Every structure is written in structure tokens, then in C-alpha cells.
Amino acid sequence: GENVEQHPSTLSVQEGDSAVIKCTYSDSASNYFPWYKQELGKGPQLIIDIRSNVGEKKDQRIAVTLNKTAKHFSLHITETQPEDSAVYFCAASASGTYKYIFGTGTRLKVLA
Amino acid sequence: KAGVTQTPRYLIKTRGQQVTLSCSPISGHRSVSWYQQTPGQGLQFLFEYFSETQRNKGNFPGRFSGRQFSNSRSEMNVSTLELGDSALYLCASSLAGTGGQETQYFGPGTRLLVL
């Protein structure tokens, strides 16, 4: 069935270092891949997204890459700051399904 | 523009009771989706509504139901509550509900505890 695997489940980095989170999806019809950040007591907030016709997208310190052949997409955060500490979720969606399939989440800790 | 609002934010119920959760989407958004978030299962899709019609439903028992009103506000209902229904219930809205390549914006969630 539809599945999105996400790794690692926890990630600790020093402030200023980079963090990379990787996801793999199973449904080849998936064509939209958003990333969400969830802080304690809050709902998920969109931080960046990518569509299947694009290989890479960047927004300041955050970038996402997509490899459709391998069904992989990754989140890259550079120059991490303590406020980046949160749980990050990847998701995949296919046209006509009206739903997201979420990864299991990555708890990112940025150590000052 | 106001974000997605959900009420109530916290709820405590006992087994066997029923509960109704409410969601108001971002103004102008016509699609509303519901997700259940638990530590063990993560974020799981419940159902999606557009123009008062359910277009997709996740793998949840029939005790979970929902509806959407003409003003796009949505409610979900869980009947005969079980301990395993304890979770954060998240509502998300999107603009046109085209079904793909469209961003969903999430509310803060309703945390339900079943005792």
C-alpha cells in the first residue's frame, strides 16, 4: 500500500551545522511533497514543498531535493539554530487522492 | 487572514461516549481534511470534504464520521469512544481541493483523552 518512510527518527546537531532528513515514498503517482515542522502543542506548519516537475527548491536556509526515479526526497537545513528544534514530517500526495501520506517524523535537536 | 481554527482544544471523555470536533477553515478555502496523530501511528488520514461531499476516507472504523457545511466549516464525530481513540485530531484546509499539488494548512488540533 501507500507508504512514506522517513529517516532518521531523531537527529542531534550542533548549532551552525547542517541537518538532513530523508524520505522514500512508494506510490509512483505521488506528485507533491510538502515538509512540515511541528512544535510542541501546535499543529504542523508548512516550511517548504516541491512538485514532481522540479528537482530542487531552496528558501533561505532550507532546501528540498527530489529524485523521482529513486522515489526519494530530502530536507536540508543549513546553519541550524536552536529555534529549528522541532519534529519534522515529510508527506507525499498524488493527484485525485485528496490526502497526504505522512512519514513517521524526525525529532531534530539543535544543541547550542 | 485568520488560520484554521479548531474547537475545543482539549477534551476528556469516557469510554462509550461520543464526541464532536469542529473545524473552521481559512477564509476562502473549500477543502477540509482531518487527520489523527498518535505517538504510535503518527499522522493518519481520516477523511476529506469539498463542497459538502466526502471525496476520500482513510482506514478507520465507521465510528469515525464527518460532515461539511455550506460555509465550508466541518465537524467530525467519533461514537462509542475507545481508549485507543485518544489522540490529537488535526484539521487542515486547502484552497480549491484540486486533489494534488495543493498545500494543506493545519489547525492547532483538538487533543482528545479517553478514560
Side-chain angles (χ1 to χ4, degrees):
Chain A
E2 307 151 323
N3 185 47
V4 175
E5 294 186 0
Q6 181 172 349
H7 299 281
S9 57
T10 61
L11 179 60
S12 293
V13 299
Q14 289 294 133
E15 183 178 0
D17 286 351
S18 296
V20 180
I21 302 171
K22 298 181 178 182
C23 289
T24 303
Y25 60 97
S26 62
D27 185 358
S28 57
S30 297
N31 56 6
Y32 178 63
F33 308 92
W35 285 88
Y36 287 86
K37 173 183 180 182
Q38 188 174 27
E39 296 174 303
L40 199 61
K42 297 183 179 181
Q45 299 296 309
L46 179 77
I47 56 172
I48 196 167
D49 58 8
I50 192 167
R51 290 167 171 76
S52 58
N53 59 345
V54 175
E56 184 174 358
K57 182 177 179 180
K58 188 174 182 180
D59 182 5
Q60 299 184 333
R61 297 187 297 110
I62 296 174
V64 58
T65 58
L66 172 65
N67 181 332
K68 288 189 295 183
T69 303
K71 298 183 188 174
H72 289 169
F73 58 114
S74 300
L75 177 71
H76 305 252
I77 305 174
T78 59
E79 302 172 18
T80 54
Q81 301 166 3
E83 52 264 40
D84 293 330
S85 296
V87 180
Y88 291 81
F89 291 95
C90 62
S93 179
S95 293
T97 62
Y98 313 108
K99 67 179 181 182
Y100 289 174
I101 305 297
F102 281 89
T104 48
T106 296
R107 184 172 299 278
L108 173 65
K109 296 180 183 178
V110 179
L111 308 172
Chain B
K1 187 181 274 190
V4 177
T5 57
Q6 294 186 244
T7 56
R9 293 292 313 276
Y10 304 93
L11 208 49
I12 299 175
K13 292 285 187 179
T14 56
R15 280 178 298 175
Q17 288 186 310
Q18 74 164 14
V19 66
T20 298
L21 311 181
S22 181
C23 171
S24 292
I26 292 171
S27 178
H29 284 197
R30 299 176 62 191
S31 170
V32 173
S33 300
W34 289 88
Y35 294 83
Q36 182 195 63
Q37 185 175 25
T38 59
Q41 299 297 317
L43 279 149
Q44 291 191 293
F45 172 75
L46 280 158
F47 26 64
E48 187 267 356
Y49 288 88
F50 179 80
S51 290
E52 304 178 64
T53 299
Q54 185 184 91
R55 297 191 296 186
N56 199 357
K57 180 175 166 60
N59 296 323
F60 280 83
R63 300 184 297 106
F64 291 82
S65 63
R67 60 178 176 169
Q68 186 181 36
F69 302 95
S70 58
N71 61 358
S72 294
R73 190 177 68 85
S74 177
E75 290 181 347
M76 67 163 283
N77 182 276
V78 188
S79 63
T80 320
L81 284 166
E82 300 177 359
L83 295 179
D85 296 334
S86 295
L88 180 67
Y89 289 88
L90 292 160
C91 169
S93 75
S94 61
L95 187 60
T98 55
Q101 302 201 358
E102 187 174 72
T103 301
Q104 294 183 6
Y105 297 90
F106 284 83
T110 293
R111 184 160 300 279
L112 172 65
L113 177 62
V114 182
L115 302 176

